[in-house]
Amino acid sequence: MASVETVFLSGDQWLKNWLFSWGMPESWVFLCTVVVYAVAVLLFVFANVIFLVYLERKVAGYMQQRLGPNRVGPGGIFQCVADALKLLGKEDIIPASADRGLFRLASLLIFIPATMLFVVIPFGREMIVADLNVGLLYFIAVGSTATIAVLMGGWSANNKYSLLGSMRAVAQMISYEIPLAFSLLGVIMLAGSLRMSEIVAAQKDLWFVVLQPVAFITYFIAATAELNRGPFDLPEGEQEIIAGPFVEYSGMRYALFFLAEYANLVSVSALAVTLFFGGWQGPWLPSWLWFVIKVYFMIFLFMWVKWTFPRIRVDHLMGLAWKFLLPVSLVNVFVTGTAIKLFQAMGW
Amino acid sequence: MEVEKGRGGFLLSTVEFFLNHARARSFWPVTYGLACCAIEMMAAGGARFDIARFGYEVFRASPRQADLMIVAGTVTNKMAPLLVRLYEQMPEPKWVVAMGSCACSGGPFVDSYNVVKGVDTLVPVDVYVPGCPPRPEALFDGLLKLRAKVINPRVAKVAGDAR
Ligand code: SF4
């Protein structure tokens, strides 16, 4: 069991030793391992994303008493591979009136924050690419830059629907950023640190979801809105504005936006697991396996919500963020702070 | 022409082979229903018939992301230019399925002053699904025929190309 637990760590150690045995200087070895980490994170992201699209279609099927894709490969598992291949072979249309440079850039730019988020996620015991002392702050800061790419795509397409869609996306993502950040404050106060590894370590005995249920629910709602997923998928509301910011994108460029959404789904679920469900901690199984199991449980929750609730209206959406979630998360911060002080005063 | 292309070379024809198989298994239809046949098309997406089994359930609202136009219903002269525009907005490679006798030939309204007598007078049609309306099973059969056509581009050539 110990070897399974440390399979990735020992692989890393073996790689370093192998590089040193070639007589490489330390800085080069460091550079090589950074490249390997980056590739590993990218592989993790892509493998998950491809699988998630399949999972979403299957979950949607079962939620609606259908079977979902089941013809391509066993149980339809290769359905998304076929889709990805097909999208690769599609014509890449750039509208004549579009801002060509921005239009192209936006589809690439959307993926950068989506993958950068995984740098601070602890995948398992000592399995974190960069354990920043401001890890959580980094996550929120980088995560919110995705808005720019969406706005860029919507603006540069020079299409009224995509502009409307991207305006909606920006309004929604910025509004929900605030309750999201406040809901995380309670956890930070309990853990006393912004460093991901310390937040995980602080949940050794008790998961924070028990101490911070309100924060978790606020986080869950705000994160759903951040992801532009149903019931908050107004930016892409098909009945109103076709496909939102992505109306003019075709083929692989569209696929990049689509995949970035699923990459964000993984990262938001990973953050939820790290902050509220004890991260990689768990009995018997290896830590990274626990992490993956918990992340998939969170993803399933997101999908469940998406396929059971109808889309809400724009004004309700904003009202929910500013009139309900924000006060609730502020009260949560206040109550948490008071409780911490009280317990300290009582000497617990 | 197409037939010769298929024999072009080992490398490219293998790529074409894989791409065709992928394409044939993931038609994304554009969300476009015109008349009563569209109700049958929606039923095909529902739980009883479940078009998702074949992986064709991704109805895209934007023609830019669609590969397949299921012309489900009566095409009027007023709708005709919009249909052509939608078709032209779709990226290549793209296919058209004429669903129902209206789309195939004008159907019960063929004598009307305002009905297009078959959608093949506007855009190239790959598969005709007759019926008024065709049941979802018939639509699936049409889509599977289209799948066979996409996988074997040369055989489709022998059967006659709509374009
Ligand atoms: S073929 Fe029949 S069912 Fe279909 S659109 Fe025409 S009249 Fe309606």
Side-chain angles (χ1 to χ4, degrees), chain A residues 57 64-72 79 82-83 85-87 89-91 93 242 246-250 254, chain B residues 19 22-23 25-26 28 45-47 50 52-55 57-58 60-62 64-67 89 91-93:
Chain A
R57 289 166 77 170
Q64 301 170 352
Q65 297 199 330
R66 295 186 285 118
L67 288 173
N70 67 357
R71 293 298 153 103
V72 191
Q79 181 60 50
D83 283 330
L85 263 179
K86 178 207 76 177
L87 284 168
K90 289 294 275 188
E91 184 185 359
I93 296 181
I242 310 182
F246 320 129
V247 168
E248 294 287 357
Y249 282 95
S250 70
Y254 169 69
Chain B
L19 274 184
R23 280 167 186 158
R25 280 166 177 78
S26 89
W28 292 3
D50 194 16
R53 289 175 294 150
F54 307 96
E57 90 273 34
V58 194
R60 295 306 313 171
S62 164
R64 297 278 192 223
Q65 293 139 21
D67 332 273
Q89 280 175 337
E92 290 280 356

Side-chain angles (χ1 to χ4, degrees), chain B residues 4-150:
Chain B
E4 293 311 312
K5 221 183 190 173
R7 298 193 186 125
F10 170 73
L11 200 62
L12 280 185
S13 67
T14 317
V15 172
E16 275 300 316
F17 173 82
F18 278 113
L19 274 184
N20 282 339
H21 270 269
R23 280 167 186 158
R25 280 166 177 78
S26 89
F27 297 131
W28 292 3
V30 54
T31 317
Y32 186 53
L34 288 171
C36 10
C37 272
I39 304 293
E40 282 316 280
M41 183 173 76
M42 292 170 214
R48 191 179 181 105
F49 300 102
D50 194 16
I51 199 171
R53 289 175 294 150
F54 307 96
Y56 303 155
E57 90 273 34
V58 194
F59 280 85
R60 295 306 313 171
S62 164
R64 297 278 192 223
Q65 293 139 21
D67 332 273
L68 173 67
M69 184 155 75
I70 303 178
V71 185
T74 324
V75 188
T76 55
N77 279 336
K78 201 167 180 182
M79 184 49 101
L82 302 175
L83 187 142
V84 172
R85 184 190 293 178
L86 266 183
Y87 177 77
E88 279 166 358
Q89 280 175 337
M90 285 158 59
E92 290 280 356
K94 53 190 167 186
W95 299 276
V96 177
V97 170
M99 180 183 180
S101 35
C102 282
C104 290
S105 65
F109 313 114
V110 70
D111 292 332
S112 168
Y113 61 93
N114 198 30
V115 168
V116 175
K117 285 145 193 72
V119 72
D120 48 6
T121 56
L122 302 170
V123 291
V125 174
D126 294 274
V127 173
Y128 296 85
V129 182
C132 182
R135 286 185 59 89
E137 291 95 328
L139 177 64
F140 290 162
D141 184 53
L143 290 177
L144 295 182
K145 289 259 167 17
L146 180 62
R147 178 168 92 181
K149 180 174 173 175
V150 172

